[in-house]
Amino acid sequence: MEETSHPRISSTLYPLFALLCVTTLVLLFSLIGIFTRPPNLLAAFWPANAVLLGVMLRYPRLSSPSGWLGGVIGYLLASLFTQDEAFKTALLTLGNLAGVSVGYLLFRRLDLEDRRLRRPMSIVFLLLIAMAASLAAGLVGALINPLLFQGSILYGLGFWFASELVNYMAILPVILTLPSPGSLSQWRTLLFQTPVSWASLLPLLSFLFSLLLSLLIAGPGSIAFPVPALLWCAVSYSVFATSLLSLCFSTLTLLALSNGFLVISHDAQTQYWMFSVRIGVMLIALTPLTAASIMAARNSLLRRMEHLAHHDHLTGALNRAGFWPAAQLMLDRLEQHKLPVAVCMLDLDNFKRINDNHGHEAGDSMLRAFTAAVRQHLRQGDLFGRMGGEEFAVLLPNTARQQALDIVERLREAVARLGVQDGVGNPVRVTVSIGIACQRQGHVNLDRLLSQADKALYRAKHNGRNRVEQHQEGEPDNASPPHPYEH
């Protein structure tokens, strides 16, 4: 389970923090519902319940007794602004908590991936749980409506169910997909599925234009005008960004309908017409969320497939197919800015004997340990790849010859200190031979540098292994080693 609470809040003070935080949130969003409702009617948009449920799920430590107490206090404080009598306040608070409690108990049965809406089926689970929570609130509303408003049981059930369902489906996705504070610096990847550009703003602009058309053109079909734009946003933006836009659509549409700014029928309206409208708004908002979730799952799968295609499955380093284009791109940038570069070839000494004497499992463990040691001694921006078997390549950008020699010498010493155990507990050690080729500036040819580094690696093997050799300036690139070196 993700822990998203503030790390600097001590465990003794956290109950008080939870109480104040939840109280403030429930009070604030209750007031939004109170001040946007039509005169003498219940609020058409009541976000407090969905917000309370969302924060309890998104931030698990808030779902403590003090957090739930904060929710009750928030509802009671909000009732002071409506000047309701105590009996009415108690019944309305009971209805609010009924739906939140049922939703919380059901959501807790889902795993984290579904609670964060990271799978296409997560939207289905969200809808089913929201319907169950709304039904719980609707049952309380069926009892409250005759007692407080002299209305029918059926109307109370329908009004509370439809209202809560729309609020849950509009607000919960935003909170459940809310990024953690540590990832806010990467806001571009949180909002966009595609590279950020002026063209990436077109879906948003089309959405705003479609909302304006809904207000200007009367009729029952006007509430569906934003659907194409919302679908465009869903395939262009992240689930979090799409949920924000769906929330805007649902909120603005319901407020415009309840306050007469959006007219969808000039005929006499029955008392049940708003139920149908709210369910319709909810289903419209559900469509882009589903599309965004499918796109997110697709993009995640593509990223995993791309990673597998360009990385070695055992060590996690770039494989030859991944190292080559990345290295070429880096060399092009270095050549453009006339910066030096060093290319190294690394080969584990006598690695075949490890597999023969200790087994392939010990050999795999050594390869993983070697890869971890190399990463610890490379800098951010250095390129590291497995070229095959026990042979690896390193590209050191903007690195002069002596600096490159110092880096690989420290790396060689670190590998010599490595130790793993085989299946019966025997220690296994290994050394590495390294060949290095450097170029100060000018046209950089990756093939030539790798060939030079490979010939220097041969000399390191030939001269006793566990050493670093560098390509000598003036040495012919087409010089062939007299015989293959033994790994």
Side-chain angles (χ1 to χ4, degrees):
M1 180 179 298
E2 291 183 347
E3 181 53 70
T4 52
S5 60
H6 202 294
R8 288 178 290 186
I9 300 175
S10 65
S11 57
T12 55
L13 293 178
Y14 201 87
L16 178 60
F17 169 79
L19 177 69
L20 295 176
C21 180
V22 176
T23 298
T24 302
L25 286 173
V26 172
L27 174 61
L28 174 64
F29 285 96
S30 295
L31 293 178
I32 291 175
I34 290 172
F35 292 136
T36 57
R37 69 180 182 179
N40 303 319
L41 294 174
L42 289 177
F45 178 65
W46 184 259
N49 298 344
V51 170
L52 176 58
L53 175 56
V55 297
M56 292 293 187
L57 295 169
R58 182 65 182 83
Y59 306 99
R61 287 188 65 185
L62 291 179
S63 60
S64 60
S66 58
W68 286 99
L69 178 61
V72 174
I73 294 175
Y75 288 126
L76 296 179
L77 291 177
S79 68
L80 298 177
F81 291 84
T82 61
Q83 298 181 346
D84 290 334
E85 58 185 36
F87 180 67
K88 180 178 180 180
T89 298
L91 289 179
L92 293 177
T93 302
L94 175 62
N96 292 331
L97 290 175
V100 175
S101 301
V102 170
Y104 178 79
L105 293 175
L106 293 177
F107 263 110
R108 293 286 292 177
R109 299 179 66 87
L110 300 179
D111 61 27
L112 181 61
E113 290 295 304
D114 283 321
R115 288 206 301 273
R116 298 300 303 275
L117 306 184
R118 291 171 178 166
R119 301 171 180 149
M121 280 300 296
S122 303
I123 303 298
V124 178
F125 295 143
L126 170 67
L127 175 61
L128 294 176
I129 294 176
M131 291 177 65
S134 303
L135 180 60
L139 293 175
V140 178
L143 299 176
I144 291 177
N145 197 50
L147 292 175
L148 299 182
F149 305 104
Q150 291 74 49
S152 67
I153 293 177
L154 184 60
Y155 182 83
L157 173 64
F159 180 89
W160 281 62
F161 176 82
S163 300
E164 290 295 284
L165 183 59
V166 172
N167 293 329
Y168 284 135
M169 294 304 298
I171 296 172
L172 277 179
V174 176
I175 301 177
L176 295 178
T177 60
L178 190 67
S180 59
S183 61
L184 290 178
S185 59
Q186 302 174 347
W187 62 271
R188 289 178 178 85
T189 58
L190 296 173
L191 296 178
F192 295 93
Q193 304 251 21
T194 55
V196 182
S197 63
W198 286 109
S200 64
L201 296 178
L202 291 177
L204 175 62
L205 295 177
S206 68
F207 169 67
L208 297 176
F209 179 71
S210 64
L211 287 178
L212 180 62
L213 282 182
S214 297
L215 295 176
L216 295 177
I217 302 177
S222 59
I223 64 171
F225 287 173
V227 171
L230 282 171
L231 288 174
W232 191 8
C233 292
V235 299
S236 303
Y237 304 149
S238 67
V239 179
F240 173 66
T242 304
S243 63
L244 282 175
L245 295 177
S246 296
L247 172 62
C248 292
F249 164 76
S250 301
T251 304
L252 294 176
T253 301
L254 289 177
L255 292 177
L257 285 169
S258 61
N259 289 279
F261 297 111
L262 178 60
V263 179
I264 62 175
S265 175
H266 294 284
D267 299 329
Q269 297 167 345
T270 68
Q271 61 175 345
Y272 297 103
W273 78 278
M274 194 61 177
F275 300 169
S276 175
V277 172
R278 287 177 176 171
I279 297 298
V281 169
M282 182 273 297
L283 291 175
I284 291 175
L286 181 64
T287 302
L289 283 176
T290 305
S293 180
I294 293 173
M295 287 296 298
R298 167 190 172 274
N299 291 338
S300 177
L301 178 60
L302 290 177
R303 286 192 296 268
R304 289 198 299 270
M305 293 176 63
E306 183 178 4
H307 184 273
L308 291 174
H310 292 92
H311 290 78
D312 175 54
H313 73 281
L314 177 63
T315 63
L318 288 170
N319 58 21
R320 182 182 291 270
F323 180 86
W324 198 270
Q328 191 61 61
L329 181 63
M330 185 177 291
L331 289 177
D332 291 342
R333 289 198 298 264
L334 294 171
E335 180 181 346
Q336 181 181 0
H337 294 91
K338 298 181 179 180
L339 296 174
V341 63
V343 173
C344 312
M345 292 295 294
L346 301 81
D347 192 274
L348 297 179
D349 298 323
N350 300 313
F351 187 74
K352 184 175 183 299
R353 297 180 186 176
I354 294 178
N355 286 330
D356 292 342
N357 298 334
H358 300 276
H360 288 278
E361 185 176 349
D364 290 347
S365 298
M366 179 57 73
L367 285 173
R368 286 190 289 265
F370 167 77
T371 303
V374 172
R375 287 199 177 104
Q376 288 177 358
H377 288 80
L378 293 181
R379 306 158 303 177
Q380 185 177 5
D382 294 339
L383 208 60
F384 175 51
R386 184 182 182 187
M387 308 306 285
E390 63 273 17
E391 191 175 48
F392 296 80
V394 172
L395 191 151
L396 303 173
N398 193 19
T399 306
R401 181 180 297 271
Q402 188 55 51
Q403 184 184 7
L405 288 172
D406 292 340
I407 292 173
V408 295
E409 183 61 33
R410 288 195 300 269
L411 193 154
R412 183 196 63 80
E413 294 174 352
V415 173
R417 294 192 297 268
L418 282 179
V420 299
Q421 292 183 338
D422 61 13
V424 294
N426 295 321
V428 181
R429 296 193 176 277
V430 75
T431 58
V432 63
S433 298
I434 304 175
I436 181 170
C438 301
Q439 183 166 322
R440 288 190 294 271
Q441 60 182 18
H443 176 67
V444 182
N445 185 286
L446 181 59
D447 278 323
R448 182 167 59 85
L449 281 176
L450 285 173
S451 177
Q452 291 173 351
D454 196 55
K455 290 177 175 61
L457 172 62
Y458 161 74
R459 284 200 306 274
K461 293 282 189 179
H462 183 72
N463 293 334
R465 299 183 177 88
N466 190 24
R467 58 188 293 118
V468 177
E469 292 285 349
Q470 57 179 315
H471 173 74
Q472 303 298 326
E473 294 186 7
E475 179 182 352
D477 294 337
N478 58 356
S480 301
H483 54 79
Y485 54 77
E486 180 191 357
H487 290 183

